[in-house]
Amino acid sequence: MIPAQFDYVRPTTVDEAVQALRDGGDDAKLLAGGQSLLPVLRLRMADPSLIIDLGGIPELKGVREEGNEVVVGAMTSHYDVTRDDTLRQHVALIGEATKTVADPQVRHRGTLGGALAHADPAGDLAAPALALDAQFVIAGSGGTRTVAAADFFEDYFTTAIGEGELLTEIRFPKYTGWGARYEKFNRVAQAWSIVAVAATVKVDGGKITDARIGLTNMAGTPVRARGVESALVGQSASEDTVRQAAQAAAEGTSPTADADAGSDYREHLARVLTGRAVLAAAG
Amino acid sequence: MTTTENTPTQEIGRDRRRKEDRRLITGRTRWTDNQALTGLLHISIVRSPFAHADIKGIDTSAAKQVPGVVAVYSAADLGADQVQLPCAWPITKDMKAPQRPALAGSRVNFAGEGVAVVVARSAAIAKDAAELVEVDYSELEPVLDMEEALKDGATLVHPEIGTNANAQWVFDSGEAGSGGSVAEALKKAESDDDQIIVRRRFRQQRLVPVFMEPRSTVVDPNAEQLTMWSSTQVPHILKTMLALTLGLPEHKIRVIAPDVGGGFGGKIAVAPEEVVTLLVAQKTGKPVKWTETRSESLLTAHHGRDQVQELAMSVTKDGRITGLDVRLIADMGAYLGLVGPGVPILGAFMFNAIYKIPAYRFDCTNVFTTKTLTDAYRGAGRPEATFGIERLMDEAALELGMEPLEFREKNWIKHEEFPFTTVSTLTYDTGNYEAATAQAKQMFDYDGLRREQQERRRRGDVKQLGIGISTFTEMCGLAPSRVLGSLDYGAGGWETASIRMQPTGKAEVVVGVSPHGQGHETAFSQIVADQLGVPFEDVEILHGDTQSSYKGLDTYGSRSLAVGGIAVVKAAEKVVEKAKPIAAHMLEASEGDLEFSGGKFTVKGTDKGVGIQDIALAVFAAHDYPEGIEPDIDAHATFDPENFSFPHGTHLCAVEVDTETGFVEMYKYVCVDDVGNVINPLIVEGQVHGGLAQGIAQALYEEAAYDDQGTLLSGTLVDYTLPSAADLISFDTANTTTASTTNPLGVKGVGEAGTIASTPAVVNSVLDAIRHLGVKDIDMPTTPYRVWTAIQNASGHAGRADEANVASPGAGLGSTARDMPEGGNL
Ligand SMILES: Cc1cc2nc3c(=O)[nH]c(=O)nc-3n(C[C@H](O)[C@H](O)[C@H](O)COP(=O)(O)OP(=O)(O)OC[C@H]3O[C@@H](n4cnc5c(N)ncnc54)[C@H](O)[C@@H]3O)c2cc1C
């Protein structure tokens, strides 16, 4: 399919990108990996007059350690996220989730920043980011600001990134030594989640001492399963206790209903998958 | 076999890699959309968003203003509303066939129907301008449910024909004399304590034949002949039908199907877009191209399946079938396609399958609805029938308390009973159901898996194991022309081949079948290499261009080898026959003393000989050849089969069902197919693998669903769930061989077998895994949600059932747009 006509610029610095956004006004659109934007353009669900390609900005790419944090540039591809040793060591959950995204072609093009900015409730990276208490660094004409994950996801396809702003990096606290599991449920391998559960837990002497759990596609935004988290802490990582704790997984969610799943089924899946994810993460 | 230096190795039976794959896989070929003619114009078709509506007016003025737009035409501007697209299969004398225009003039009858066309200098401009065409619609009631559509007072899709019923087609073995009366058999069973009657209702969902290459057509009106390139399975039929439909002289039309990227029946058509492209080319006097988008393809290329099946089987308590009653309703969609009404009728011959059924009745009513039309899709009528009977066999075995394989064995035709004339009047030439089943059971470890199933049940495992069976046969190799005539089909079923021997000894083989991914070039080259005794590399297969391949009936119905391949054999025999007197002349021997083998004529008992390739050069030079014959060894042959071919096989499927989530995972799949003699085992295996994937996909994944307004919900490949290799398992395939006696190669068709056989095996296995939980049936596709809901309902926990008929709006989007607030990120 053919998108409507647009102008195209390719800045080489964040400042230039911000300037281009200001020049383009509300009819400009940022292009990261294009794996969500291009289908939208081709189906003519959007027809921006200006496309600002972030692919030429080196400072937006790559993973680095900064003290107690691991910082990922917004333009780091899914593929690079899955291959990064620093992330694997300190923030294992994000790589686990990223591995389940689509297929190798999409993972080579799509980016962490693009996926998070797109904020598709069925997308796989928002729930891990929420569970991990990531910080989002956003640049605009007034400089940069940092938004916590809990405040970043506002609604379906809607984030705290304002007009004229762009996401530059995502900062994850370190979870060194934590177990991680992304339990994704879909009908075929290369598809978005019907429901998924992102779990990372710290286990000490057979007991769960800390837990973070995020749910994908259980509302317009990712949802933190805090009831389950607190129920797990101090418990042994056994099948019975974990499954018991997982019963609270659907609390506070408001899942949608579609041909693949009714809302009651999604709630049920959230409970089942939470149990499985925590057990695998603890195992 | 012992080979000497002069006898090349036998080609038939070699698992040669396909010679066409290099150009296909590396993108070196030219598809229709690659045709770039000087001055080419592009069209975009404006399509109705409504399923059923009157067209009140069309305003093209804004579209015409777009720079680069050459013209915007309504249906009337082109006469496209007056066209009657052909249906070649009037199944009954009183069949109702509404006019099917190339573009709708006054009323649209399905969402996606074309109403106008924009012609522009680029495809992008055409698309931009198409969005500016304003069509004023007045909406009518859609007609969506095929059973409701048949009731009195139902809204009519085509008021002018006075009914939504297209035709009713009935076969009754009592009347045909091929068996008893089912009405009597069922009546008797009702009052017989030693019989039961098993009644079931099954749904065949609507599918889309998602071929890889979207459809595309280019028409050049400028040459002496009007030339059409099209991504079609049927260039010859298309040419003749264009002549008949548009009143064009047939010898002034040339149709070319270049390499075509798949069809699965979906490109057996005279598509409205092909006609529109032609009309625009004629009107503008310029070459014109149409290439569809994937969404356009899903929405408007014909769909397949879509039946309601009401089945009743009477059977004695010791497991002998006494009667089978089949009542079908088949959704034709808004119009009749090229062979659409005949598709469900092909099932009439296949419901009795491999079983000896003494009384049989088949009654099918075709219905119009305001949906995309249905027509042939891989298997065409036979998968539907095979699903019905193989599901019913499991259900009957269950009610009888018999092992499902034993119940089948009790009723199937024994190998010593062939040839066997069935209750639906076909004569199966050969087969051995015992052999295929025994081998499949052994490969599958049937008894071992049954034990494992019992253990998992006893332990109450979360993942339960299910085993499904399908012992199928099918009729293919379409088809004996006389049989087609008796079914009121519009054409014959013969096929042609010509062999042109080049001066350098190479063979150009021109075939009438039209490959679109199957590997004909390789298989036919192997046949010719053996027949003429020339190297495989010296054979070239030409196809798909009506100028070189001037006569043929194209590719569908697993006919290419069993019919087209035999024409190749016959043509090769004629080449040898024509070469013989010339060889005798060159060897100064009498014809009677010559024998032909390994590409060479030799004088019996001597080492004197001459090769066929040398003879080709000799007749080219023509300096010295016997008097009274022509200096030419080229030959042409037409083959009309006397019977279908009847591949069969036993498919065994094991799945794991996650009883907590409803997820179905393939565990083991074994199929032993009997496709007669095999020309190329690698190609056969490829056909089986692809067929299995599509059949399994019907069971587990695919469905073309409409909402209550008649809008197609699965308008992108995000919503139309296709499996990939990651979702399937490694299949264990094998062959038993009973050579077909209906053709000299002993071959049977294989193109559709996997698709026909696998669907019921999978659904039977899913049900077998969870029947002990009280689940009785699940509609296809058996999605996790449906499986989970069925388990819930069986255990008395009814769900909230708020399944919503919403589709995500498009590719690359995980969620639905309706959820998005104003100002969302789209
Ligand atoms: C076939 C297919 C399957 C897929 N399957 C999955 C899946 O299973 N799970 C999953 O999670 N995702 C899936 N995706 C989506 C994929 O993860 C995308 O890569 C991702 O959603 C968007 O990332 P992108 O880099 O391609 O962003 P783009 O498509 O370029 O951009 C997406 C949106 O974010 C905006 N944006 C991009 N970068 C920034 C920035 N730095 N600051 C502000 N706004 C920005 C863009 O303007 C646009 O609106 C799939 C995509 C495809 C094509």
Side-chain angles (χ1 to χ4, degrees):
Chain A
M1 240 203 174
I2 303 159
Q5 215 170 341
F6 53 80
D7 287 334
Y8 172 90
V9 293
R10 190 176 161 91
T12 55
T13 64
V14 170
D15 287 345
E16 280 175 31
V18 170
Q19 185 60 45
L21 275 172
R22 194 179 314 146
D23 297 346
D26 63 358
D27 220 17
K29 206 91 183 96
L30 295 168
L31 172 70
Q35 298 305 291
S36 294
L37 183 61
L38 259 61
V40 166
L41 296 183
R42 287 156 68 98
L43 287 164
R44 298 196 170 211
M45 293 168 56
D47 51 355
S49 54
L50 176 67
I51 294 284
I52 303 167
D53 184 352
L54 301 178
I57 307 178
E59 61 193 284
L60 289 180
K61 274 185 206 143
V63 180
R64 63 178 195 277
E65 259 180 282
E66 262 181 34
N68 282 333
E69 289 182 325
V70 179
V71 184
V72 184
M75 288 297 289
T76 310
S77 74
H78 298 321
Y79 176 76
D80 286 341
V81 166
T82 60
R83 305 256 303 178
D84 188 83
D85 284 333
T86 308
L87 283 172
R88 197 175 304 154
Q89 200 186 337
H90 301 296
V91 201
L93 183 60
I94 195 74
E96 287 295 303
T98 306
K99 275 196 299 201
T100 73
V101 170
D103 51 49
Q105 286 98 318
V106 172
R107 290 199 293 274
H108 273 275
R109 291 227 140 250
T111 65
L112 179 61
L116 293 171
H118 190 53
D120 185 331
D124 290 303
L125 301 174
L130 180 69
L132 293 164
D133 284 322
Q135 298 282 326
F136 292 75
V137 182
I138 298 169
S141 44
T144 64
R145 62 193 180 103
T146 301
V147 176
D151 302 319
F152 181 77
F153 301 104
E154 296 183 342
D155 205 338
Y156 292 89
F157 300 101
T158 311
T159 68
I161 305 170
E163 208 168 283
E165 291 187 318
L166 71 133
L167 177 65
T168 57
E169 55 192 38
I170 304 97
R171 308 178 77 93
F172 296 99
K174 286 184 180 169
Y175 294 84
T176 320
W178 291 46
R181 173 73 176 187
Y182 190 69
E183 193 71 34
K184 173 165 172 171
F185 192 82
N186 50 13
R187 287 182 55 203
V188 289
Q190 292 162 15
W192 283 262
S193 289
I194 292 173
V195 174
V197 177
T200 190
V201 296
K202 193 172 176 190
V203 182
D204 221 342
K207 277 212 161 32
I208 297 175
T209 58
D210 211 345
R212 302 276 191 282
I213 295 162
L215 309 177
T216 299
N217 215 11
M218 289 299 291
T221 61
V223 177
R224 188 81 176 261
R226 293 201 185 267
V228 182
E229 290 176 4
S230 53
L232 284 172
V233 174
Q235 300 289 330
S236 72
S238 74
E239 170 120 25
D240 282 353
T241 50
V242 169
R243 287 192 173 253
Q244 187 54 41
Q247 290 310 307
E251 282 170 13
T253 63
S254 49
T256 181
D258 57 30
D260 285 336
S263 54
D264 56 341
Y265 180 51
R266 280 200 163 86
E267 287 168 12
H268 167 80
L269 285 175
R271 290 187 285 267
V272 172
L273 301 176
T274 297
R276 292 180 183 183
V278 170
L279 281 170
Chain B
M1 179 179 133
T2 50
T3 53
T4 66
E5 271 176 326
N6 326 2
T7 25
T9 336
Q10 181 168 321
E11 278 291 337
I12 289 184
R14 273 185 76 171
D15 54 354
R16 273 199 177 272
R17 299 259 171 118
R18 308 197 319 176
K19 63 184 199 176
E20 47 274 75
D21 282 354
R22 178 179 289 270
R23 70 169 191 274
L24 296 178
I25 290 171
T26 59
R28 288 280 180 269
T29 190
R30 283 198 166 68
W31 313 98
T32 299
D33 190 51
N34 296 118
Q35 303 301 326
L37 308 185
T38 309
L40 185 65
L41 298 176
H42 301 259
I43 61 172
S44 177
I45 293 175
V46 179
R47 298 184 180 278
S48 168
F50 301 111
H52 207 196
D54 284 325
I55 302 169
K56 295 293 183 198
I58 300 188
D59 181 355
T60 61
S61 51
K64 281 179 174 154
Q65 299 305 311
V66 176
V69 167
V70 174
V72 184
Y73 299 123
S74 68
D77 294 337
L78 291 171
D81 52 342
Q82 299 307 315
V83 171
Q84 164 63 306
L85 291 170
C87 169
W89 201 340
I91 54 170
T92 61
K93 298 278 174 276
D94 59 352
M95 180 178 93
K96 302 276 196 303
Q99 186 223 347
R100 180 184 174 206
L103 291 174
S106 55
R107 193 182 68 229
V108 289
N109 294 310
F110 69 96
E113 186 165 14
V115 297
V117 57
V118 176
V119 190
R121 302 218 174 274
S122 77
I125 296 170
K127 174 75 195 156
D128 280 343
E131 302 217 320
L132 300 177
V133 174
E134 293 282 340
V135 185
D136 182 11
Y137 294 101
S138 162
E139 272 189 84
L140 302 166
E141 214 34 53
V143 181
L144 300 171
D145 182 306
M146 57 179 125
E147 288 172 292
E148 293 297 320
L150 288 173
K151 291 185 180 156
D152 282 347
T155 302
L156 297 180
V157 182
H158 303 280
E160 57 278 14
I161 59 174
T163 169
N164 286 325
N166 150 248
Q168 184 183 17
W169 195 93
V170 180
F171 172 85
D172 189 312
S173 66
E175 284 163 24
S178 57
S181 146
V182 164
E184 280 168 27
L186 291 180
K187 204 155 133 212
K188 183 147 173 267
E190 260 163 28
S191 56
D192 184 347
D193 286 344
D194 286 328
Q195 288 199 48
I196 60 167
I197 299 177
V198 185
R199 294 180 196 277
R200 290 292 183 277
R201 175 190 163 93
F202 297 131
R203 184 79 173 84
Q204 276 281 322
Q205 82 271 37
R206 201 173 246 266
L207 300 176
V208 186
V210 186
F211 30 74
M212 200 178 289
E213 181 206 9
R215 297 173 303 162
S216 180
T217 299
V218 173
V219 175
D220 181 358
N222 294 324
E224 178 55 30
Q225 283 178 312
L226 181 145
T227 305
M228 173 184 283
W229 289 261
S230 202
S231 174
T232 178
Q233 290 174 239
V234 290
H236 298 93
I237 294 174
L238 180 56
K239 174 179 167 232
T240 303
M241 285 298 173
L242 287 175
L244 292 172
T245 304
L246 301 175
L248 300 169
E250 192 177 356
H251 63 301
K252 294 292 181 189
I253 311 174
R254 174 185 181 189
V255 174
I256 303 171
D259 274 326
V260 172
F264 310 116
K267 292 174 182 170
I268 304 175
V270 178
E273 294 85 356
E274 286 168 327
V275 171
V276 169
T277 310
L278 191 154
L279 294 175
V280 172
Q282 283 183 321
K283 183 126 185 149
T284 57
K286 296 268 172 36
V288 173
K289 179 190 285 180
W290 168 77
T291 299
E292 70 183 349
T293 66
R294 179 60 69 187
S295 291
E296 221 175 348
S297 189
L298 292 167
L299 184 64
T300 65
H302 73 241
H303 295 170
R305 317 278 192 261
D306 212 357
Q307 293 183 355
V308 176
Q309 308 181 332
E310 301 268 5
L311 311 178
M313 176 187 278
S314 57
V315 55
T316 64
K317 284 186 174 160
D318 63 356
R320 293 207 183 273
I321 301 168
T322 56
L324 176 64
D325 186 47
V326 174
R327 281 163 206 272
L328 303 185
I329 304 178
D331 190 345
M332 296 290 100
Y335 302 101
L336 299 178
L338 188 61
V339 297
V343 167
I345 309 311
L346 286 172
F349 305 95
M350 281 292 114
F351 264 98
N352 52 291
I354 65 170
Y355 308 111
K356 291 178 279 192
I357 296 178
Y360 170 60
R361 188 169 188 280
F362 173 95
D363 180 333
C364 177
T365 301
N366 291 342
V367 187
F368 292 111
T369 60
T370 52
K371 294 184 187 172
T372 299
L373 52 161
T374 62
D375 204 313
Y377 172 47
R378 203 169 188 174
R382 292 105 79 209
E384 296 91 319
T386 303
F387 179 84
I389 185 68
E390 287 303 299
R391 280 283 298 111
L392 194 61
M393 290 305 282
D394 259 31
E395 296 290 319
L398 202 79
E399 290 204 13
L400 292 165
M402 284 181 80
E403 218 295 326
L405 255 183
E406 278 168 28
F407 175 55
R408 285 173 169 83
E409 180 157 13
K410 213 164 191 157
N411 288 284
W412 74 40
I413 302 157
K414 306 276 180 288
H415 69 273
E416 63 272 13
E417 292 175 296
F418 288 92
F420 185 91
T421 300
T422 71
V423 72
S424 60
T425 72
L426 294 179
T427 300
Y428 296 172
D429 57 339
T430 58
N432 189 332
Y433 309 138
E434 297 93 322
T437 302
Q439 189 174 338
K441 273 182 79 171
Q442 188 252 326
M443 286 167 64
F444 191 71
D445 186 17
Y446 187 82
D447 299 327
L449 282 177
R450 281 280 182 220
R451 276 195 302 278
E452 186 182 336
Q453 178 181 40
Q454 285 313 316
E455 279 159 26
R456 290 198 196 197
R457 266 190 207 166
R458 212 184 40 246
R459 287 198 304 262
D461 283 7
V462 169
K463 287 191 180 171
Q464 287 290 322
L465 193 67
I467 295 170
I469 302 162
S470 168
T471 49
F472 86 106
T473 190
E474 64 126 338
M475 55 191 281
C476 65
L478 299 183
S481 297
R482 279 185 214 95
V483 176
L484 291 177
S486 74
L487 292 173
D488 302 306
Y489 184 72
W494 44 262
E495 199 42 77
T496 75
S498 309
I499 299 181
R500 310 196 293 227
M501 294 303 292
Q502 316 283 294
T504 55
K506 315 290 185 202
E508 273 182 353
V509 183
V510 183
V511 295
V513 294
S514 198
H516 41 281
Q518 296 87 343
H520 294 173
E521 291 173 26
T522 305
F524 288 179
S525 295
Q526 290 179 271
I527 294 172
V528 173
D530 274 1
Q531 290 288 323
L532 295 182
V534 300
F536 173 83
E537 292 73 19
D538 285 358
V539 185
E540 190 70 17
I541 309 295
L542 307 179
H543 56 80
D545 180 346
T546 61
Q547 204 167 67
S548 53
S549 165
Y550 57 92
K551 207 173 164 199
L553 285 167
D554 309 315
T555 287
Y556 41 82
S558 303
R559 69 190 303 272
S560 292
L561 177 60
V563 188
I566 307 308
V568 171
V569 171
K570 299 280 178 197
E573 285 171 358
K574 285 189 183 175
V575 169
V576 173
E577 217 36 56
K578 286 178 81 174
K580 199 170 195 181
I582 298 159
H585 180 78
M586 290 169 77
L587 294 167
E588 297 177 338
S590 84
E591 280 185 50
D593 290 337
L594 295 188
E595 55 188 18
F596 183 74
S597 135
K600 214 167 167 183
F601 288 96
T602 47
V603 183
K604 282 177 207 157
T606 75
D607 56 2
K608 266 176 56 179
V610 59
I612 191 109
Q613 294 182 299
D614 299 325
I615 298 171
L617 180 62
V619 294
F620 171 72
H623 295 161
D624 180 19
Y625 61 96
E627 271 175 42
I629 63 166
E630 55 178 9
D632 183 5
I633 59 172
D634 295 355
H636 176 81
T638 298
F639 176 70
D640 192 4
E642 279 171 15
N643 196 354
F644 298 94
S645 83
F646 300 98
H648 71 81
T650 296
H651 288 224
L652 298 174
C653 173
V655 295
E656 282 186 324
V657 177
D658 184 329
T659 54
E660 281 183 341
T661 64
F663 192 81
V664 177
E665 188 164 5
M666 304 286 296
Y667 188 68
K668 193 165 197 175
Y669 199 98
V670 167
C671 62
V672 178
D673 285 304
D674 188 332
V675 297
N677 293 334
V678 170
I679 305 299
N680 181 322
L682 202 59
I683 292 181
V684 163
E685 197 172 356
Q687 287 293 317
V688 171
H689 277 228
L692 292 179
Q694 276 178 315
I696 293 167
Q698 174 169 18
L700 297 179
Y701 304 115
E702 296 182 28
E703 176 160 35
Y706 284 81
D707 70 8
D708 57 7
Q709 296 303 303
T711 308
L712 182 67
L713 292 167
S714 45
T716 75
L717 289 182
V718 174
D719 307 294
Y720 192 79
T721 311
L722 289 177
S724 70
D727 303 295
L728 302 169
I729 48 168
S730 192
F731 306 126
D732 297 323
T733 66
N735 293 113
T736 52
T737 305
T738 53
S740 168
T741 57
T742 66
N743 66 68
L745 288 176
V747 295
K748 307 174 185 176
V750 67
E752 296 157 294
T755 309
I756 293 169
S758 55
T759 310
V762 177
V763 175
N764 280 337
S765 70
V766 172
L767 290 167
D768 187 53
I770 52 175
R771 210 175 253 124
H772 66 289
L773 302 175
V775 174
K776 294 204 159 52
D777 196 14
I778 303 175
D779 276 349
M780 293 190 290
T782 57
T783 64
Y785 185 32
R786 285 186 183 162
V787 171
W788 178 79
T789 305
I791 295 172
Q792 291 299 104
N793 289 343
S795 57
H797 305 287
R800 281 212 295 278
D802 60 349
E803 161 176 355
N805 263 345
V806 292
S808 54
L813 299 169
S815 301
T816 54
R818 71 164 185 157
D819 297 326
M820 194 183 55
E822 270 300 297
N825 192 26
L826 293 189

